Amino acid sequence: MQSNVFYRHIESPVGALLIAGNDEGLRLIEFHAPRHPMRRSEDWHEGDHAVLRDTQKQLGEYFAGRRRSFELPLAPQGTQFQRQVWWELANIPFGGTISYAELALRVDRPTATRAVGAANGRNPIPIVLPCHRVIGANGSLTGFGGGLPTKQFLLQLEGAMPRQVDLFA
């Protein structure tokens, strides 16, 4: 039996975010107009939960430049391979980036760059599991569920990309 999932909408510098979780942990951070929205079932309820309060507080600290890592219980829902990729994202340091090929090597699937990219694109807990830190082999920004301007903003916030660079000017 699955436990209830609680969610709420919060404001952030990258727009409205939907956060969701339960006693197992944080399950979702979803951008406004997501590319791959998570399916919700009847056990999802708008409401309050300790993991939502902690997530909102820590995201606020992150966006204010006072937090470089997150201390939250996480419960992303996906295949074993997807979860393996998502857990590896947590090892990319604040202010750092890696390529999709490097991520594939890190999960011992060196020839599965496309599959790793697809799993990265389905990450249900962006920012906390920092899929925005994965970039093209040539250093280019590539697809991101929150949009490339959001990816650029997050990388600039972390110092991984100079602020004067505006790819969308």
Side-chain angles (χ1 to χ4, degrees):
M1 184 172 137
Q2 207 169 19
S3 65
N4 287 331
V5 175
F6 296 94
Y7 69 90
R8 72 165 63 151
H9 295 88
I10 63 172
E11 289 301 318
S12 81
V14 295
L17 300 173
L18 182 141
I19 58 175
N22 59 13
D23 292 340
E24 296 172 20
L26 180 64
R27 296 196 34 184
L28 180 69
I29 297 176
E30 192 171 80
F31 295 102
H32 177 75
R35 207 172 355 164
H36 303 289
M38 180 177 272
R39 202 172 327 152
R40 293 152 183 69
S41 60
E42 63 278 348
D43 63 344
W44 282 58
H45 308 282
E46 189 161 10
D48 189 36
H49 191 281
V51 75
L52 301 182
R53 290 188 299 274
D54 291 343
T55 300
Q56 185 170 359
K57 178 180 184 282
Q58 291 186 32
L59 284 171
E61 293 167 351
Y62 168 81
F63 286 120
R66 296 189 316 267
R67 176 171 288 278
R68 297 168 63 98
S69 62
F70 294 89
E71 299 167 7
L72 297 164
L74 304 179
Q77 306 296 298
T79 67
Q80 182 177 351
F81 175 71
Q82 286 173 326
R83 289 191 314 271
Q84 180 185 12
V85 171
W86 300 335
W87 291 129
E88 188 57 42
L89 295 171
N91 294 320
I92 307 170
F94 182 94
T97 59
I98 65 169
S99 68
Y100 290 93
E102 173 64 24
L103 183 57
L105 285 171
R106 289 183 179 196
V107 297
D108 295 323
R109 301 285 295 272
T111 61
T113 303
R114 285 179 179 252
V116 164
N120 192 57
R122 295 282 184 166
N123 174 16
I125 312 177
I127 306 171
V128 172
L129 292 176
C131 52
H132 61 278
R133 297 179 188 156
V134 182
I135 60 174
N138 63 0
S140 64
L141 299 187
T142 54
F144 183 65
L148 292 182
T150 298
K151 185 171 188 167
Q152 178 181 343
F153 175 88
L154 295 172
L155 292 173
Q156 287 175 334
L157 176 71
E158 296 181 2
M161 174 182 278
R163 290 194 187 274
Q164 65 270 24
V165 174
D166 187 354
L167 302 178
F168 305 99

